[in-house]
Amino acid sequence: MKLLVAVKRVIDYNVKVRVKSDRTDVDLANVKMSLNPFCEIAVEEAVRLKEKGVASEVLVVSIGSKACQEQLRTALALGADRAIQVEGPDNPDSLSVARILAEIVKREDPGLILLGKQSIDSDNNQTGQMLAALIDRPQATFISEIMIEGDQLTATREVDGGLQTLQLTLPAVVTTDLRLNEPRYASLPNIMKAKKKPLDVMTADELGISINNRITLVSVEPPAERSAGIKVSSVTELVDKLRQEAKVIA
Amino acid sequence: MSILILAEHDNQTLKPVTLSVIAAAKVIGGDIAVLVAGQSCAQVAEQVAQVEGVSKVLLADSSSYQHQLAENIAPLVAEQASGLTHVLAAATTTGKNILPRVAALLGVNQVSEVLAIESANRFKRAIYAGNAIATVESAEPVHVMTIRGTAFDAVSATGNSAEIVNLSNDFNSADIRFISEALAESDRPELTAAKVVVSGGRGVASAENFEMLYRVADKLGAAVGASRAAVDAGYVPNDMQVGQTGKLVAPELYIAIGISGAIQHLAGMKDSKVIVAINKDEEAPIFQVADYGLVADLFEAVPEFEKAI
């Protein structure tokens, strides 16, 4: 079975995000970029499925400018076999991405498609669900566990009330949550090997998809700053303040 | 404007977050239809009919909808959305699971986690884990949006008597089956709806020590939350996690105990009205957002606090 993993290049999660002074967007100039953490978990899970013998090949795809080849190489160093970069804008909209992925699914015929549940830049949390709709296959979002037997996938999802377990008939789409696994570090020999793994470049046009975002960014502002209050010296003072000043406890 | 809202419920009771979604719809203005899809959920439809601002309740009662599976509910919502201007759901794990699938079926992008409605097609939403707030304008023919419940004050749950219309179309995918659910049983209020939240972090140091927090919570009628560090350490289950990747809360009072205040945690609670932090590290970033900070050993301060309230 072939696995398809979609990955995104995003601002590194350790970098403090700053809004540009003209408030048109956040400032990404000279900022460290990385593989989106949820995508990294998806790559790790795919590689583990291959190591277990459940899957035979792991294909990673990213949509963006040439720069995202760096993240594809990271995924290859983690153990993916082959990569495709679909040349496009750096922040394509989710529906266009889902349409591109759906076209790649049609050509590559994977048994399972893994995506991160959301990217830590746009925080949309929608591409996986959209892809599942477009290819008319079942979805398991926000998963913390998966098991595959034959053409059946059992997934545990992290939901607001606790955990939910679903059984899906493959092919299917899953989106990963934080606790699914802890991604490995790529070893130096694997990083070297990754440079020789196949990485194909194609354009959205070649796939017959035109990227057209009908949701436009008008402006970006920093969140309202919350200023620090006061330090209290004792529990007694704290309880007194909560009762008399804030009036939030009886 | 004509708006369709997907109600969130457990087949018996309407979840309070839907009242906040209806509040967001009222800001947009126009007719508000609320879809209740579930199994043996007529009583939920009756509750929705009484909610302020609702023009019509659509009731889809079928075993296909019992567990809110996106494969079955999304085509139902997409069908009912025909000709409408907006489709809304709460930005909960249920809404986030279903609504993008609806958006794709309608051929549009979704606007996720809306915090404010500027106009019928201009919205504010958080990006970069809440470190930036974007204003976006949608030129989609229908605006599909998930609404962050904590950003809108709930409408009144009573006083209305909207018409209930039964839907008979049944969508059922053969490719997905519900197996089981392990939902936390608790007499405490739901985390996202609680007026008071008591949260613990790595500093609490064990699952047993969380008992101290439960006792404080029970005295205050509060829900108990946790930081990602406490969840990852196995002190409490994942559904208690407050933060960007967990739940977003905005109670009247948030008490952070042994929580350092990582950015991703702050993103989940900084809209709380009053924040209290108890931490022995006076440099902890949580103190930068706390209205009342107490630098103390939590193992002494928390039992003392429990006695004093």
Side-chain angles (χ1 to χ4, degrees):
Chain A
M1 177 169 66
K2 191 190 288 184
L3 305 179
L4 176 68
V5 187
V7 301
K8 187 175 182 186
R9 172 184 167 91
V10 298
I11 189 169
D12 186 86
Y13 78 102
N14 284 313
V15 174
K16 181 150 173 57
V17 174
R18 286 198 173 76
V19 173
K20 282 185 187 170
S21 55
D22 65 2
R23 306 215 158 177
T24 51
D25 206 339
V26 300
D27 194 353
L28 293 179
N30 303 315
V31 159
K32 185 184 177 199
M33 302 295 279
S34 293
L35 187 55
N36 179 46
F38 292 103
C39 301
E40 194 176 354
I41 292 169
V43 172
E44 173 67 32
E45 197 63 25
V47 171
R48 288 186 191 188
L49 287 169
K50 190 187 167 192
E51 287 167 350
K52 279 185 204 153
V54 176
S56 52
E57 189 189 19
V58 177
L59 168 63
V60 285
V61 178
S62 192
I63 293 114
S65 67
K66 196 174 179 205
C68 76
Q69 288 189 9
E70 185 189 341
Q71 279 62 46
L72 288 170
R73 291 288 175 203
T74 303
L76 293 170
L78 291 171
D81 299 295
R82 185 158 73 83
I84 298 174
Q85 179 218 343
V86 180
E87 182 69 33
D90 277 330
N91 272 309
D93 64 290
S94 307
L95 184 62
S96 299
V97 171
R99 284 178 170 154
I100 287 168
L101 294 173
E103 187 56 37
I104 292 174
V105 167
K106 212 196 279 174
R107 296 176 181 208
E108 297 280 347
D109 197 26
L112 177 64
I113 303 117
L114 302 97
L115 301 92
K117 73 168 180 179
Q118 69 191 70
S119 61
I120 61 164
D121 50 2
S122 55
D123 283 335
N124 275 312
N125 190 337
Q126 59 181 344
T127 306
Q129 296 90 315
M130 288 179 154
L131 172 62
L134 296 179
I135 61 173
D136 197 19
R137 295 306 307 164
Q139 69 188 45
T141 51
F142 330 141
I143 59 165
S144 58
E145 213 181 316
I146 50 173
M147 206 181 67
I148 296 174
E149 267 181 286
D151 71 344
Q152 297 296 307
L153 177 145
T154 307
T156 301
R157 306 179 55 227
E158 298 205 352
V159 296
D160 286 338
L163 298 170
Q164 182 191 56
T165 304
L166 301 174
Q167 191 178 34
L168 294 75
T169 303
L170 299 175
V173 175
V174 297
T175 75
T176 60
D177 216 319
L178 280 178
R179 275 169 284 273
L180 180 61
N181 61 49
E182 258 186 67
R184 70 196 65 190
Y185 289 97
S187 67
L188 189 59
N190 284 343
I191 293 170
M192 300 311 288
K193 254 192 264 172
K195 291 182 179 167
K196 297 204 180 74
K197 288 184 180 176
L199 192 162
D200 294 330
V201 180
M202 52 178 82
T203 65
D205 279 350
E206 283 166 22
L207 293 165
I209 311 287
S210 60
I211 297 178
N212 173 23
N213 193 354
R214 285 175 303 218
I215 294 181
T216 46
L217 189 60
V218 177
S219 64
V220 174
E221 58 198 286
E225 283 289 319
R226 202 181 167 109
S227 48
I230 57 160
K231 289 259 171 68
V232 292
S233 59
S234 68
V235 169
T236 315
E237 190 189 346
L238 174 62
V239 173
D240 189 56
K241 291 280 187 196
L242 292 178
R243 280 202 179 115
Q244 309 299 333
E245 195 176 272
K247 299 190 194 324
V248 282
I249 62 172
Chain B
M1 299 308 140
S2 46
I3 305 167
L4 176 68
I5 295 174
L6 177 65
E8 184 142 343
H9 62 88
D10 59 5
N11 294 316
Q12 286 161 19
T13 318
L14 180 70
K15 294 269 172 76
V17 70
T18 300
L19 302 177
S20 297
V21 179
I22 294 170
K26 281 187 73 187
V27 180
I28 298 167
D31 277 344
I32 301 174
V34 179
L35 170 62
V36 176
Q39 187 184 27
S40 308
C41 57
Q43 52 184 328
V44 179
E46 278 156 28
Q47 291 160 30
V48 174
Q50 295 173 39
V51 175
E52 178 194 347
V54 175
S55 332
K56 187 166 67 175
V57 184
L58 305 172
L59 172 60
D61 199 325
S62 159
S63 58
S64 307
Y65 307 134
Q66 185 182 3
H67 300 291
Q68 304 293 318
L69 297 178
E71 293 75 0
N72 300 344
I73 303 235
L76 174 71
V77 177
E79 178 197 62
Q80 293 302 318
S82 161
L84 303 187
T85 56
H86 297 75
V87 180
L88 276 55
T92 56
T93 50
T94 307
K96 291 187 218 182
N97 186 45
I98 297 171
L99 220 59
R101 200 162 171 125
V102 173
L105 292 175
L106 296 172
V108 300
N109 273 297
Q110 170 186 283
V111 183
S112 305
E113 304 250 4
V114 170
L115 298 172
I117 314 268
E118 304 273 283
S119 74
N121 70 337
R122 194 185 266 229
F123 317 108
K124 284 194 179 192
R125 56 178 304 263
I127 53 175
Y128 293 91
N131 289 303
I133 308 296
T135 301
V136 298
E137 202 165 87
S138 166
E140 299 286 12
V142 48
H143 310 298
V144 176
M145 307 148 62
T146 55
I147 304 293
R148 190 174 284 185
T150 55
F152 296 89
D153 289 330
V155 295
S156 166
T158 54
N160 192 0
S161 56
E163 170 198 15
I164 301 177
V165 180
N166 283 289
L167 303 179
S168 53
N169 267 7
D170 192 24
F171 294 92
N172 193 319
S173 164
D175 293 321
I176 185 143
R177 285 156 302 283
F178 170 86
I179 302 294
S180 64
E181 211 159 39
L183 299 184
E185 300 270 333
S186 172
D187 295 334
R188 296 185 189 95
E190 203 193 340
L191 200 46
T192 54
K195 288 206 160 46
V196 181
V197 173
V198 180
S199 269
R202 194 193 296 279
V204 179
S206 75
E208 293 72 41
N209 292 341
F210 257 85
E211 287 300 326
M212 287 190 309
L213 276 64
Y214 294 132
R215 285 196 295 271
V216 169
D218 290 343
K219 271 189 128 170
L220 293 172
V224 178
S227 70
R228 185 181 156 193
V231 173
D232 284 351
Y235 305 160
V236 292
N238 69 283
D239 54 276
M240 285 171 62
Q241 183 175 326
V242 172
Q244 178 64 19
T245 54
K247 287 183 184 155
L248 300 163
V249 302
E252 302 279 316
L253 172 62
Y254 188 89
I255 306 178
I257 298 172
I259 291 178
S260 64
I263 289 175
Q264 87 89 26
H265 184 77
L266 300 184
M269 46 63 82
K270 65 183 166 53
D271 294 329
S272 305
K273 297 220 167 56
V274 175
I275 297 175
V276 169
I278 302 176
N279 201 304
K280 67 178 175 192
D281 174 13
E282 63 177 319
E283 300 297 319
I286 189 79
F287 288 121
Q288 290 163 20
V289 300
D291 298 284
Y292 302 106
L294 176 63
V295 180
D297 181 350
L298 69 93
F299 297 102
E300 287 165 20
V302 175
E304 196 185 333
F305 184 71
E306 186 207 330
K307 268 188 223 129
I309 52 179

